Amino acid sequence: MEKIAAQLYTVRDFTKTAKDFAQTCKRIRKMGYEGVQLSAVGPIAPKEIQKILKGEGLTCVVTHTSFDRIENETAKVVEEHHLWDCKYIAIGGFFPEQKKVTQPKTWKDFVTRFNKAAKLLAAEGLPLGYHNHFHEFIKLPDGLTCYEHLLRELDPINAWFEVDTYWIAASGKEPSAMIRKLAHRVPCVHFKDGKLTFRDGAWGPDFKITEVGDGNLDWPAIIDACKYAGVQWYLVERDNGDMEPFASLERSFHNLRDRMGL
């Protein structure tokens, strides 16, 4: 059965020390969340993180780990994830210089690096995921978007996609359609909502991130697509917004459980 986790980037200002991290985990577990994504945490000793998570009964679902660490500190990264009993690892995205975004070589070189890292991590039982933002939907000279190239060229066995529903929608695509397209390659999805303006056949650039269920993304379609695609974890996230971060996580959880019946 699918489970709901909190992406800790939402409460990043409250995870900087072991004491704050422990209090944050306690609050999140009390809300009803069963797991977390480790992101923007620390510096906290890995064993301390493991102790706190275990003490609160929270699963470490996935992490956002820097690509630099994955490539240069592979053994240490693997050791940490095994300590946390974390089954998935992902990078938060690839962000080339603006002038290089539309150069095919930029993405070709990245794919080579990513697939090499994914193979090494897969040998240790850790498939490597890619989290999207908005810029991956810029078109390259061949007419395909950067994301379409990633879908075609990232290792189909060892790589997976951490779909971010909000950024997919903001790019003019339908999150549910993308999730269905990625069936069995998308174990974790970022549930992020927003109020976006649709015009000229696409979502416009004026948008605002909201709590899940309070924006205008099509959540029944998204949830149905997740069930179809075999998604295991729904990761609630809000980058920024008007509501206090913990209140935001609580509101999103309430909407998912009580309004949407998850």
Side-chain angles (χ1 to χ4, degrees):
M1 178 179 285
E2 309 84 356
K3 297 181 179 180
I4 304 175
Q7 216 301 37
L8 292 182
Y9 185 76
T10 309
V11 288
R12 57 194 176 276
D13 293 333
F14 306 92
T15 58
K16 302 304 182 185
T17 67
K19 181 180 179 180
D20 286 347
F21 180 75
Q23 292 175 342
T24 290
C25 288
K26 184 178 291 293
R27 294 180 70 176
I28 285 173
R29 187 68 186 99
K30 188 175 181 180
M31 291 177 196
Y33 285 96
E34 297 178 70
V36 296
Q37 174 166 13
L38 294 183
S39 178
V41 171
I44 305 170
K47 288 186 178 179
E48 185 68 14
I49 289 176
Q50 188 268 348
K51 178 182 176 182
I52 292 168
L53 292 176
K54 185 176 180 180
E56 296 301 335
L58 285 168
T59 298
C60 180
V61 178
V62 58
T63 70
H64 268 181
T65 302
S66 77
F67 201 26
D68 180 68
R69 282 202 71 214
I70 289 171
E71 290 186 306
N72 299 307
E73 301 177 30
T74 310
K76 189 174 181 180
V77 167
V78 169
E79 181 182 7
E80 290 170 357
H81 283 71
H82 286 170
L83 173 66
W84 300 327
D85 195 24
C86 183
K87 294 180 170 52
Y88 297 103
I89 182 172
I91 66 170
F94 173 55
F95 304 94
E97 297 176 36
Q98 185 66 35
K99 63 182 179 180
K100 295 183 178 180
V101 171
T102 57
Q103 295 178 10
K105 186 177 186 302
T106 298
W107 294 92
K108 182 177 180 180
D109 290 348
F110 169 71
V111 164
T112 299
R113 291 171 58 201
F114 190 99
N115 284 342
K116 180 181 178 181
K119 186 175 181 179
L120 290 173
L121 290 173
E124 301 292 342
L126 284 171
L128 179 59
Y130 184 89
H131 171 270
N132 67 276
H133 285 84
F134 182 92
H135 67 281
E136 292 95 346
F137 296 91
I138 295 172
K139 287 188 177 182
L140 297 180
D142 63 4
L144 297 178
T145 66
C146 305
Y147 202 66
E148 287 174 315
H149 276 278
L150 295 180
L151 297 185
R152 291 184 175 195
E153 298 165 19
L154 290 189
D155 188 325
I157 303 299
N158 300 321
W160 60 281
F161 291 86
E162 187 177 46
V163 168
D164 186 301
T165 56
Y166 173 82
W167 290 117
I168 294 286
S171 75
K173 308 296 182 181
E174 176 53 57
S176 60
M178 185 63 70
I179 293 167
R180 285 178 176 274
K181 186 174 183 178
L182 288 167
H184 309 299
R185 296 188 72 186
V186 57
C188 308
V189 171
H190 275 193
F191 271 29
K192 188 187 300 178
D193 205 350
K195 294 181 179 178
L196 299 99
T197 303
F198 195 79
R199 62 170 181 270
D200 298 326
W203 293 112
D206 45 335
F207 44 74
K208 180 179 181 179
I209 299 175
T210 69
E211 287 58 55
V212 177
D214 291 345
N216 55 12
L217 271 64
D218 187 349
W219 288 103
I222 290 171
I223 292 169
D224 188 59
C226 285
K227 293 179 182 298
Y228 168 84
V231 175
Q232 300 167 23
W233 284 93
Y234 304 151
L235 305 166
V236 173
E237 181 182 35
R238 193 205 64 188
D239 297 356
N240 50 65
D242 298 330
M243 191 175 289
E244 188 272 336
F246 288 101
S248 173
L249 285 178
E250 190 163 22
R251 171 70 178 177
S252 290
F253 190 86
H254 162 78
N255 286 343
L256 288 168
R257 278 284 189 248
D258 298 337
R259 288 177 51 195
M260 303 180 199
L262 290 181

